[in-house]
Amino acid sequence: MSRQAQRRPVWIFDLDNTLHDANPHIFPHLNRAMTAWLMTELGLEHGEADRLRTHYWHRYGATLLGLMRHHGTRPSHFLRGTHDVEALRPGIVFDRALRHMLTRLPGRRIVFTNGPAHYAEAVLAVMGMRHLFDAVHAIEHSRYVPKPRLAGFLHLLRDQHVMPADCIMVEDTAANLRTAKQLGMRTVWISRSAGHHNYVDLRLTSVLKLPQAMRLLSVRRP
């Protein structure tokens, strides 16, 4: 048996819309909170603040990056001001079957998110699943370089002491999987889309189906 086959797999999970459903409550709340922050901190009207938030998100992959580059915003000030855990807590929607699914996966499990650490930790705590993950790699740990940019991935690999060939990235955003595949990771796209991408190894309609797909991903059961 090859040395690579003997190594334990490393499952790298996105958080929002992969492990929980952020669309109904979380994302709308965060969008409103970021717009309100821009109104207060930059003295903008609502419409202008909302447009700027969206513009920076499209241009840089994260509103925060645009604020840092053009306004000298301190990341911690923005992230604490927009990710109010107590306000977000009631809106966390998830499937309780996820807990059992995760326990069936051999190897390490890491959350890799563009969100801040305090938010990611709180979401996993509400879900009762923080203990099922070996680490949380948040935007602070990526030195505020969001997915899909390469530098954030490299910080993850270095900080967690893992090799790309051992990693399986599970993510709802296809563009993030492109970078993962370029590095040599196996990739799982959680999506109901009929689209096809050559950097996606496997598309699943639900993360709950992951254990059924381990053979296709060449993952050995313990």
Side-chain angles (χ1 to χ4, degrees), residues 13-19 23 27 57 61 112 114 146-149 153 169-181 187-193 197 199-200 204:
F13 286 91
D14 175 51
L15 179 62
D16 298 328
N17 282 348
T18 298
L19 294 176
N23 284 332
F27 280 170
W57 178 65
F112 181 20
N114 281 347
K147 297 178 286 184
R149 298 190 178 198
F153 283 77
M169 186 160 181
V170 185
E171 164 80 65
D172 72 292
T173 302
N176 295 339
L177 295 174
R178 183 189 293 115
T179 308
K181 176 54 79 173
T187 57
V188 180
W189 186 26
I190 306 301
S191 174
R192 296 185 180 276
S193 168
H197 303 286
Y199 49 84
V200 171
L204 299 175

Short mmCIF file of all heavy atoms in Angstrom, two decimals, residues 13-19 23 27 57 61 112 114 146-149 153 169-181 187-193 197 199-200 204:
data_model
loop_
_atom_site.label_atom_id
_atom_site.label_comp_id
_atom_site.label_asym_id
_atom_site.label_seq_id
_atom_site.Cartn_x
_atom_site.Cartn_y
_atom_site.Cartn_z
N PHE A 13 -14.18 21.67 5.37
CA PHE A 13 -15.57 22.07 5.15
C PHE A 13 -15.72 23.58 5.15
O PHE A 13 -15.26 24.27 6.08
CB PHE A 13 -16.47 21.52 6.27
CG PHE A 13 -16.73 20.05 6.19
CD1 PHE A 13 -15.90 19.15 6.85
CD2 PHE A 13 -17.81 19.55 5.47
CE1 PHE A 13 -16.14 17.79 6.79
CE2 PHE A 13 -18.06 18.19 5.41
CZ PHE A 13 -17.23 17.30 6.07
N ASP A 14 -16.40 24.08 4.13
CA ASP A 14 -16.93 25.44 4.22
C ASP A 14 -18.01 25.43 5.31
O ASP A 14 -18.52 24.36 5.68
CB ASP A 14 -17.51 25.84 2.86
CG ASP A 14 -18.20 27.19 2.90
OD1 ASP A 14 -17.59 28.15 3.38
OD2 ASP A 14 -19.36 27.26 2.47
N LEU A 15 -18.39 26.61 5.78
CA LEU A 15 -19.40 26.70 6.84
C LEU A 15 -20.77 27.09 6.29
O LEU A 15 -21.70 26.28 6.26
CB LEU A 15 -18.95 27.71 7.90
CG LEU A 15 -19.91 27.94 9.08
CD1 LEU A 15 -20.11 26.67 9.88
CD2 LEU A 15 -19.39 29.07 9.96
N ASP A 16 -20.90 28.33 5.83
CA ASP A 16 -22.21 28.84 5.40
C ASP A 16 -22.69 28.17 4.12
O ASP A 16 -21.97 28.12 3.12
CB ASP A 16 -22.13 30.36 5.18
CG ASP A 16 -21.78 31.11 6.45
OD1 ASP A 16 -22.16 30.65 7.54
OD2 ASP A 16 -21.11 32.16 6.35
N ASN A 17 -23.89 27.66 4.17
CA ASN A 17 -24.54 26.97 3.05
C ASN A 17 -23.87 25.66 2.68
O ASN A 17 -24.13 25.10 1.62
CB ASN A 17 -24.67 27.87 1.82
CG ASN A 17 -25.81 28.86 1.97
OD1 ASN A 17 -26.64 28.73 2.87
ND2 ASN A 17 -25.87 29.83 1.09
N THR A 18 -23.00 25.18 3.56
CA THR A 18 -22.44 23.83 3.42
C THR A 18 -22.82 23.03 4.66
O THR A 18 -23.44 21.97 4.55
CB THR A 18 -20.92 23.87 3.24
OG1 THR A 18 -20.60 24.58 2.03
CG2 THR A 18 -20.34 22.46 3.16
N LEU A 19 -22.48 23.55 5.83
CA LEU A 19 -22.85 22.87 7.08
C LEU A 19 -24.17 23.37 7.65
O LEU A 19 -24.80 22.68 8.45
CB LEU A 19 -21.73 23.05 8.11
CG LEU A 19 -20.41 22.36 7.77
CD1 LEU A 19 -19.36 22.69 8.82
CD2 LEU A 19 -20.57 20.85 7.64
N ASN A 23 -29.06 31.02 3.93
CA ASN A 23 -29.89 31.86 3.06
C ASN A 23 -31.13 32.45 3.72
O ASN A 23 -31.46 33.62 3.50
CB ASN A 23 -30.29 31.10 1.80
CG ASN A 23 -29.14 30.99 0.81
OD1 ASN A 23 -28.26 31.85 0.76
ND2 ASN A 23 -29.13 29.93 0.02
N PHE A 27 -27.61 35.25 6.04
CA PHE A 27 -27.08 36.16 5.02
C PHE A 27 -27.86 37.48 4.93
O PHE A 27 -27.26 38.55 4.85
CB PHE A 27 -27.04 35.46 3.66
CG PHE A 27 -25.83 34.56 3.49
CD1 PHE A 27 -25.76 33.69 2.41
CD2 PHE A 27 -24.79 34.57 4.39
CE1 PHE A 27 -24.67 32.86 2.23
CE2 PHE A 27 -23.68 33.74 4.24
CZ PHE A 27 -23.62 32.88 3.15
N TRP A 57 -17.83 43.50 -2.39
CA TRP A 57 -17.97 42.04 -2.33
C TRP A 57 -17.68 41.42 -3.70
O TRP A 57 -16.96 40.42 -3.80
CB TRP A 57 -19.38 41.68 -1.85
CG TRP A 57 -19.62 40.20 -1.82
CD1 TRP A 57 -18.99 39.28 -1.03
CD2 TRP A 57 -20.55 39.47 -2.62
NE1 TRP A 57 -19.48 38.01 -1.28
CE2 TRP A 57 -20.43 38.09 -2.25
CE3 TRP A 57 -21.47 39.83 -3.60
CZ2 TRP A 57 -21.20 37.10 -2.85
CZ3 TRP A 57 -22.24 38.83 -4.19
CH2 TRP A 57 -22.10 37.48 -3.81
N GLY A 61 -14.18 39.87 -3.36
CA GLY A 61 -14.55 38.60 -2.75
C GLY A 61 -15.02 38.75 -1.32
O GLY A 61 -15.51 37.80 -0.72
N PHE A 112 -13.23 25.74 7.17
CA PHE A 112 -12.48 26.80 6.48
C PHE A 112 -13.50 27.82 5.99
O PHE A 112 -14.26 27.56 5.07
CB PHE A 112 -11.71 26.17 5.32
CG PHE A 112 -10.86 27.11 4.51
CD1 PHE A 112 -10.44 28.33 5.01
CD2 PHE A 112 -10.46 26.75 3.23
CE1 PHE A 112 -9.64 29.19 4.26
CE2 PHE A 112 -9.66 27.59 2.45
CZ PHE A 112 -9.26 28.80 2.97
N ASN A 114 -14.74 32.13 5.30
CA ASN A 114 -14.42 33.55 5.13
C ASN A 114 -15.02 34.40 6.24
O ASN A 114 -14.82 35.61 6.27
CB ASN A 114 -14.95 34.05 3.78
CG ASN A 114 -14.06 33.66 2.61
OD1 ASN A 114 -12.92 33.22 2.80
ND2 ASN A 114 -14.58 33.79 1.41
N PRO A 146 -9.58 36.27 1.66
CA PRO A 146 -10.70 35.33 1.57
C PRO A 146 -10.53 34.29 0.46
O PRO A 146 -9.75 34.48 -0.49
CB PRO A 146 -11.88 36.26 1.25
CG PRO A 146 -11.27 37.37 0.46
CD PRO A 146 -9.90 37.59 1.07
N LYS A 147 -11.24 33.19 0.60
CA LYS A 147 -11.40 32.28 -0.54
C LYS A 147 -12.09 33.06 -1.66
O LYS A 147 -12.91 33.92 -1.37
CB LYS A 147 -12.30 31.09 -0.14
CG LYS A 147 -11.73 30.21 0.96
CD LYS A 147 -12.70 29.07 1.31
CE LYS A 147 -13.90 29.56 2.11
NZ LYS A 147 -14.80 28.46 2.55
N PRO A 148 -11.77 32.81 -2.91
CA PRO A 148 -10.94 31.73 -3.44
C PRO A 148 -9.47 32.10 -3.65
O PRO A 148 -8.75 31.38 -4.35
CB PRO A 148 -11.59 31.47 -4.81
CG PRO A 148 -12.05 32.82 -5.25
CD PRO A 148 -12.50 33.52 -3.98
N ARG A 149 -8.98 33.17 -3.06
CA ARG A 149 -7.60 33.57 -3.28
C ARG A 149 -6.63 32.54 -2.71
O ARG A 149 -6.85 31.97 -1.63
CB ARG A 149 -7.35 34.94 -2.68
CG ARG A 149 -8.22 36.02 -3.32
CD ARG A 149 -7.80 37.40 -2.92
NE ARG A 149 -8.63 38.41 -3.58
CZ ARG A 149 -8.30 39.68 -3.70
NH1 ARG A 149 -7.18 40.12 -3.19
NH2 ARG A 149 -9.11 40.52 -4.31
N PHE A 153 -5.64 29.83 1.25
CA PHE A 153 -5.47 28.38 1.26
C PHE A 153 -4.08 28.00 1.78
O PHE A 153 -3.93 27.03 2.54
CB PHE A 153 -5.65 27.82 -0.15
CG PHE A 153 -7.07 27.72 -0.61
CD1 PHE A 153 -7.77 28.84 -1.03
CD2 PHE A 153 -7.72 26.49 -0.64
CE1 PHE A 153 -9.08 28.74 -1.47
CE2 PHE A 153 -9.03 26.38 -1.07
CZ PHE A 153 -9.72 27.51 -1.49
N MET A 169 -11.92 18.95 -0.10
CA MET A 169 -12.62 20.19 0.22
C MET A 169 -14.09 20.07 -0.15
O MET A 169 -14.43 19.70 -1.27
CB MET A 169 -12.00 21.38 -0.50
CG MET A 169 -12.62 22.69 -0.07
SD MET A 169 -11.57 24.10 -0.46
CE MET A 169 -12.57 25.42 0.21
N VAL A 170 -14.95 20.41 0.81
CA VAL A 170 -16.40 20.30 0.65
C VAL A 170 -16.97 21.71 0.75
O VAL A 170 -16.85 22.36 1.78
CB VAL A 170 -17.00 19.39 1.74
CG1 VAL A 170 -18.49 19.18 1.51
CG2 VAL A 170 -16.27 18.04 1.78
N GLU A 171 -17.64 22.16 -0.31
CA GLU A 171 -17.91 23.59 -0.44
C GLU A 171 -19.10 23.82 -1.36
O GLU A 171 -19.29 23.09 -2.34
CB GLU A 171 -16.63 24.24 -1.01
CG GLU A 171 -16.73 25.61 -1.58
CD GLU A 171 -16.72 26.69 -0.55
OE1 GLU A 171 -15.70 26.87 0.15
OE2 GLU A 171 -17.76 27.38 -0.45
N ASP A 172 -19.91 24.85 -1.06
CA ASP A 172 -21.05 25.16 -1.93
C ASP A 172 -20.70 26.16 -3.03
O ASP A 172 -21.46 26.31 -3.99
CB ASP A 172 -22.21 25.71 -1.09
CG ASP A 172 -21.93 27.12 -0.59
OD1 ASP A 172 -21.03 27.28 0.26
OD2 ASP A 172 -22.60 28.06 -1.05
N THR A 173 -19.58 26.86 -2.90
CA THR A 173 -19.18 27.85 -3.89
C THR A 173 -18.14 27.25 -4.83
O THR A 173 -17.00 26.97 -4.43
CB THR A 173 -18.60 29.10 -3.21
OG1 THR A 173 -19.59 29.65 -2.33
CG2 THR A 173 -18.22 30.16 -4.24
N ALA A 174 -18.53 27.06 -6.09
CA ALA A 174 -17.67 26.36 -7.04
C ALA A 174 -16.33 27.05 -7.23
O ALA A 174 -15.29 26.39 -7.33
CB ALA A 174 -18.40 26.22 -8.38
N ALA A 175 -16.32 28.37 -7.28
CA ALA A 175 -15.07 29.10 -7.52
C ALA A 175 -14.00 28.78 -6.48
O ALA A 175 -12.80 28.76 -6.78
CB ALA A 175 -15.33 30.60 -7.55
N ASN A 176 -14.42 28.50 -5.25
CA ASN A 176 -13.46 28.17 -4.20
C ASN A 176 -12.82 26.80 -4.45
O ASN A 176 -11.68 26.56 -4.05
CB ASN A 176 -14.14 28.19 -2.84
CG ASN A 176 -14.63 29.58 -2.47
OD1 ASN A 176 -14.15 30.58 -2.99
ND2 ASN A 176 -15.60 29.65 -1.56
N LEU A 177 -13.57 25.93 -5.10
CA LEU A 177 -13.05 24.60 -5.38
C LEU A 177 -12.01 24.63 -6.50
O LEU A 177 -11.15 23.75 -6.58
CB LEU A 177 -14.19 23.65 -5.77
CG LEU A 177 -15.19 23.37 -4.64
CD1 LEU A 177 -16.36 22.54 -5.17
CD2 LEU A 177 -14.52 22.65 -3.47
N ARG A 178 -12.07 25.64 -7.35
CA ARG A 178 -11.06 25.77 -8.40
C ARG A 178 -9.67 25.90 -7.79
O ARG A 178 -8.72 25.24 -8.21
CB ARG A 178 -11.36 26.96 -9.29
CG ARG A 178 -10.37 27.08 -10.46
CD ARG A 178 -10.52 28.39 -11.22
NE ARG A 178 -11.79 28.46 -11.91
CZ ARG A 178 -12.76 29.32 -11.64
NH1 ARG A 178 -12.62 30.19 -10.63
NH2 ARG A 178 -13.88 29.34 -12.34
N THR A 179 -9.55 26.76 -6.79
CA THR A 179 -8.25 26.94 -6.13
C THR A 179 -7.83 25.67 -5.42
O THR A 179 -6.65 25.28 -5.47
CB THR A 179 -8.33 28.10 -5.11
OG1 THR A 179 -8.87 29.26 -5.75
CG2 THR A 179 -6.95 28.41 -4.55
N ALA A 180 -8.78 25.01 -4.76
CA ALA A 180 -8.46 23.76 -4.07
C ALA A 180 -7.92 22.72 -5.04
O ALA A 180 -6.92 22.04 -4.75
CB ALA A 180 -9.71 23.22 -3.37
N LYS A 181 -8.54 22.60 -6.21
CA LYS A 181 -8.10 21.61 -7.19
C LYS A 181 -6.73 21.98 -7.76
O LYS A 181 -5.88 21.12 -7.98
CB LYS A 181 -9.14 21.52 -8.32
CG LYS A 181 -8.75 20.59 -9.46
CD LYS A 181 -8.40 19.19 -8.96
CE LYS A 181 -9.61 18.36 -8.66
NZ LYS A 181 -9.29 16.96 -8.33
N THR A 187 -12.16 17.51 -4.58
CA THR A 187 -13.17 18.54 -4.40
C THR A 187 -14.58 17.98 -4.47
O THR A 187 -14.89 17.14 -5.33
CB THR A 187 -13.02 19.64 -5.48
OG1 THR A 187 -13.09 19.04 -6.79
CG2 THR A 187 -11.69 20.36 -5.34
N VAL A 188 -15.43 18.46 -3.56
CA VAL A 188 -16.84 18.07 -3.53
C VAL A 188 -17.67 19.35 -3.53
O VAL A 188 -17.53 20.19 -2.64
CB VAL A 188 -17.17 17.25 -2.27
CG1 VAL A 188 -18.65 16.85 -2.27
CG2 VAL A 188 -16.29 16.00 -2.19
N TRP A 189 -18.52 19.46 -4.51
CA TRP A 189 -19.39 20.64 -4.67
C TRP A 189 -20.77 20.30 -4.14
O TRP A 189 -21.42 19.38 -4.64
CB TRP A 189 -19.46 21.02 -6.14
CG TRP A 189 -20.19 22.29 -6.44
CD1 TRP A 189 -20.36 23.37 -5.62
CD2 TRP A 189 -20.82 22.63 -7.69
NE1 TRP A 189 -21.05 24.35 -6.25
CE2 TRP A 189 -21.35 23.94 -7.53
CE3 TRP A 189 -20.97 21.97 -8.90
CZ2 TRP A 189 -22.04 24.57 -8.56
CZ3 TRP A 189 -21.66 22.60 -9.92
CH2 TRP A 189 -22.19 23.89 -9.74
N ILE A 190 -21.22 21.02 -3.13
CA ILE A 190 -22.56 20.84 -2.57
C ILE A 190 -23.48 21.80 -3.30
O ILE A 190 -23.48 23.01 -3.06
CB ILE A 190 -22.59 21.10 -1.06
CG1 ILE A 190 -21.55 20.23 -0.35
CG2 ILE A 190 -23.99 20.83 -0.51
CD1 ILE A 190 -21.72 18.73 -0.55
N SER A 191 -24.27 21.25 -4.24
CA SER A 191 -25.08 22.11 -5.09
C SER A 191 -26.18 21.31 -5.77
O SER A 191 -25.99 20.13 -6.09
CB SER A 191 -24.19 22.77 -6.15
OG SER A 191 -24.96 23.51 -7.08
N ARG A 192 -27.29 21.98 -6.00
CA ARG A 192 -28.37 21.38 -6.79
C ARG A 192 -28.30 21.83 -8.25
O ARG A 192 -29.18 21.50 -9.05
CB ARG A 192 -29.73 21.74 -6.18
CG ARG A 192 -29.92 21.16 -4.78
CD ARG A 192 -31.31 21.41 -4.24
NE ARG A 192 -31.47 20.85 -2.91
CZ ARG A 192 -31.78 19.58 -2.67
NH1 ARG A 192 -31.99 18.75 -3.67
NH2 ARG A 192 -31.90 19.14 -1.43
N SER A 193 -27.27 22.59 -8.57
CA SER A 193 -27.08 23.06 -9.93
C SER A 193 -26.75 21.90 -10.86
O SER A 193 -26.11 20.93 -10.46
CB SER A 193 -25.96 24.09 -9.98
OG SER A 193 -25.57 24.36 -11.30
N HIS A 197 -18.15 21.51 -13.81
CA HIS A 197 -16.86 22.18 -13.74
C HIS A 197 -15.78 21.10 -13.71
O HIS A 197 -15.88 20.14 -12.94
CB HIS A 197 -16.74 23.06 -12.49
CG HIS A 197 -17.81 24.10 -12.39
ND1 HIS A 197 -17.83 25.23 -13.17
CD2 HIS A 197 -18.92 24.16 -11.59
CE1 HIS A 197 -18.89 25.97 -12.86
NE2 HIS A 197 -19.56 25.34 -11.91
N TYR A 199 -12.97 21.13 -12.44
CA TYR A 199 -12.22 21.10 -11.19
C TYR A 199 -13.04 20.51 -10.03
O TYR A 199 -12.58 20.49 -8.89
CB TYR A 199 -11.71 22.50 -10.82
CG TYR A 199 -12.77 23.59 -10.89
CD1 TYR A 199 -13.64 23.82 -9.83
CD2 TYR A 199 -12.90 24.39 -12.03
CE1 TYR A 199 -14.61 24.81 -9.89
CE2 TYR A 199 -13.86 25.37 -12.11
CZ TYR A 199 -14.71 25.58 -11.03
OH TYR A 199 -15.69 26.55 -11.10
N VAL A 200 -14.24 20.06 -10.32
CA VAL A 200 -15.09 19.41 -9.31
C VAL A 200 -15.02 17.90 -9.51
O VAL A 200 -15.35 17.39 -10.58
CB VAL A 200 -16.55 19.89 -9.43
CG1 VAL A 200 -17.47 19.06 -8.54
CG2 VAL A 200 -16.64 21.36 -9.05
N LEU A 204 -22.65 16.79 -5.03
CA LEU A 204 -23.69 16.19 -4.20
C LEU A 204 -24.77 17.23 -3.93
O LEU A 204 -24.46 18.40 -3.73
CB LEU A 204 -23.12 15.70 -2.87
CG LEU A 204 -22.04 14.62 -2.93
CD1 LEU A 204 -21.51 14.34 -1.52
CD2 LEU A 204 -22.57 13.34 -3.56
#
